[in-house]
Amino acid sequence: MKYSELYNFVGKDGIDGFFIFYTAILNGMDVQRMPGQLLLINNHRAPDSKTSFVHSVAQSTRLSTTTFVLQKRFRRVLFQQAKVSMPKAATFSFSSRKDPVKYANKIGYPVTVKEVFGENPSFSIRGVQNKKELFSAMRKVRRHLPVNSPRAPSSYAQTINLGSAETVDEDKRIKSHRSRFIVEKQLDGDFYRVYVIGGRASFVVKFDSNSLQVVESPSSSINRLAETAVASVPGIKNAAVDIVEDENKSVYLTEFSERLLPPVMSVEEDFFSNFGQLYQSLLEYEIGLVNGTFSSRRKRATYVIEIKGVSNIPKFTESFLALVNALRLEQRVSETCNIFGKIKFQISGSCFDVAIALENLLETQNITHLQLCRKRIIKKYSLF
């Protein structure tokens, strides 16, 4: 499969979790995969090791709730204390009508309207030019709840309960009038996303709404701002930091996310190659924190996979075989148990296609647990 076909199998908001999964498989690691992009990764060469590496994608698991629930206005205070430059902004409750308009007039249009609680990066409406558009943006932000979508992150409900209560409107859950939102001055200039790993800026792209390009030698002010922002948030070492550089070469932080997501969708081969290197660096850093080691790197291999929580084994097997055949992978089902909803099988092929097949299963089937181990190669030696 070509990288350009990836979006046919993986949702845009699942790209970061997929690449971590794929990178772990590529490096021969044993992986336990659970709902919400939660991965337990270790090296099969050290089966008795008591240290494993847990990776979770913020927004998608309860494990990340401690950082995910941090209010964005609290983060602004942390950034201000660290002297991180940001556009002018203020928060308001959805019950306010006059104050947001007065503030937008004060700082000048265009403005951006963002959530205070919720996803990282923030759900936002950019390019708001007047009072009418401001009220429209407020309505859209208030009605935006991931729990209204089929792929609701499990930690979002906890986030809402901490201070952003919900109500029901037209049979849909929306934010209550007490919830808050941000009105932020929208700055013109060049937009960058800096990927910080282990507290150091490691990868930078310049982007607009339709395209991006890798920046080989970003300015020191861009890197320094991103690294300072990450250092100012307790418990965070890896993040994607959005920065705008204006015509005077002044830089401002516009968004901060624990998720290392691409800023725009792309089908360019170089794009995926570059981001593959980014996630390799991320995995190397995080496994290094627990003194872990990689196994040998292989592009093709055989894997033993065990899946639990399958409600309908025959239907699951049928859809799985269709997907495997479409990807031209070799497979052999070795064990099934209808009582416990368990299926065990072997699958052979490229690491990328194996990752695609399993990611698709996790997206479309009701699976509670997936365990993957690369089959070990037993070398035979002749004495003669």
Side-chain angles (χ1 to χ4, degrees):
M1 174 186 290
K2 296 181 179 179
Y3 278 125
S4 58
E5 300 171 354
L6 178 61
Y7 291 115
N8 295 330
F9 293 87
V10 182
K12 182 176 67 172
D13 60 343
I15 289 292
D16 49 348
F18 167 77
F19 265 109
I20 289 294
F21 185 42
Y22 164 55
T23 305
I25 294 174
L26 187 64
N27 286 280
M29 309 299 285
D30 291 350
V31 182
Q32 293 186 50
R33 183 77 184 267
M34 286 154 273
Q37 301 191 58
L38 175 61
L39 294 85
L40 176 64
I41 303 170
N42 58 20
N43 189 341
H44 71 262
R45 288 186 172 181
D48 298 327
S49 173
K50 295 181 180 180
T51 302
S52 294
F53 160 59
V54 176
H55 180 86
S56 71
V57 178
Q59 171 189 342
S60 299
T61 71
R62 289 184 173 87
L63 188 68
S64 64
T65 301
T66 53
T67 57
F68 175 63
V69 299
L70 197 58
Q71 289 186 24
K72 291 175 178 59
R73 58 176 176 168
F74 291 169
R75 279 193 176 168
R76 288 187 69 89
V77 173
L78 295 175
F79 294 148
Q80 288 168 351
Q81 291 177 341
K83 301 188 183 306
V84 173
S85 300
M86 295 174 289
K88 294 179 180 179
T91 66
F92 305 91
S93 67
F94 285 104
S95 60
S96 302
R97 301 286 288 180
K98 294 181 179 179
D99 290 344
V101 174
K102 288 181 180 179
Y103 186 74
N105 289 332
K106 177 182 177 181
I107 62 176
Y109 290 98
V111 298
T112 300
V113 179
K114 297 180 178 180
E115 290 184 314
V116 168
F117 289 91
E119 298 157 286
N120 288 319
S122 305
F123 175 76
S124 61
I125 307 295
R126 290 176 50 83
V128 176
Q129 298 285 354
N130 52 52
K131 176 180 175 180
K132 181 179 179 180
E133 292 183 6
L134 178 60
F135 287 151
S136 174
M138 289 166 56
R139 286 192 296 271
K140 290 178 181 178
V141 170
R142 186 181 180 190
R143 297 185 70 84
H144 176 261
L145 280 181
V147 290
N148 290 330
S149 69
R151 302 183 60 194
S154 58
S155 63
Y156 193 86
Q158 298 181 42
T159 304
I160 290 295
N161 289 337
L162 288 180
S164 186
E166 300 174 19
T167 186
V168 177
D169 180 56
E170 297 179 356
D171 296 326
K172 282 192 175 182
R173 296 163 64 186
I174 65 171
K175 300 178 182 73
S176 80
H177 66 278
R178 295 176 296 171
S179 304
R180 302 188 72 83
F181 64 95
I182 298 175
V183 176
E184 181 179 274
K185 174 62 180 174
Q186 183 172 309
L187 301 178
D188 293 326
D190 295 325
F191 290 86
Y192 298 86
R193 180 163 293 180
V194 183
Y195 296 89
V196 178
I197 296 178
R200 300 291 300 273
S202 63
F203 186 62
V204 181
V205 293
K206 182 179 179 181
F207 67 96
D208 56 29
S209 59
N210 299 311
S211 63
L212 64 80
Q213 64 184 72
V214 176
V215 180
E216 298 293 345
S217 301
S219 69
S220 58
S221 59
I222 290 176
N223 283 349
R224 185 166 55 250
L225 183 68
E227 291 172 358
T228 302
V230 172
S232 68
V233 181
I236 297 294
K237 290 293 184 182
N238 309 320
V241 184
D242 286 359
I243 292 172
V244 60
E245 182 181 55
D246 66 16
E247 59 183 8
N248 298 318
K249 300 300 180 182
S250 297
V251 292
Y252 301 88
L253 182 149
T254 60
E255 189 58 80
F256 182 97
S257 173
E258 300 97 323
R259 302 190 66 181
L260 304 190
L261 283 165
V264 295
M265 292 179 65
S266 175
V267 295
E268 298 296 330
E269 300 294 325
D270 290 343
F271 165 84
F272 286 106
S273 298
N274 287 320
F275 273 84
Q277 296 172 21
L278 169 68
Y279 293 112
Q280 177 73 27
S281 299
L282 173 63
L283 201 61
E284 288 176 357
Y285 166 74
E286 293 188 317
I287 286 181
L289 291 177
V290 295
N291 296 319
T293 58
F294 283 114
S295 185
S296 57
R297 186 179 173 99
R298 293 198 200 116
K299 291 185 177 180
R300 298 183 64 86
T302 298
Y303 304 88
V304 178
I305 298 163
E306 183 176 302
I307 294 177
K308 298 177 182 177
V310 180
S311 56
N312 188 323
I313 293 287
K315 185 177 180 180
F316 173 87
T317 303
E318 181 182 353
S319 61
F320 169 70
L321 292 178
L323 177 63
V324 166
N325 291 333
L327 294 172
R328 298 181 180 179
L329 296 169
E330 298 178 10
Q331 58 76 32
R332 179 172 63 85
V333 177
S334 59
E335 180 183 341
T336 61
C337 178
N338 289 304
I339 297 175
F340 295 103
K342 184 175 75 172
I343 182 170
K344 190 173 183 179
F345 55 90
Q346 282 191 183
I347 187 170
S348 301
S350 75
C351 294
F352 186 79
D353 289 341
V354 169
I356 282 286
L358 298 179
E359 185 76 21
N360 187 266
L361 288 178
L362 289 162
E363 288 280 335
T364 58
Q365 305 292 328
N366 182 26
I367 296 172
T368 59
H369 183 273
L370 181 150
Q371 183 168 340
L372 175 145
C373 302
R374 189 167 74 184
K375 192 173 182 180
R376 302 170 196 180
I377 297 176
I378 300 176
K379 296 182 178 180
K380 297 181 179 180
Y381 297 93
S382 174
L383 298 177
F384 304 98

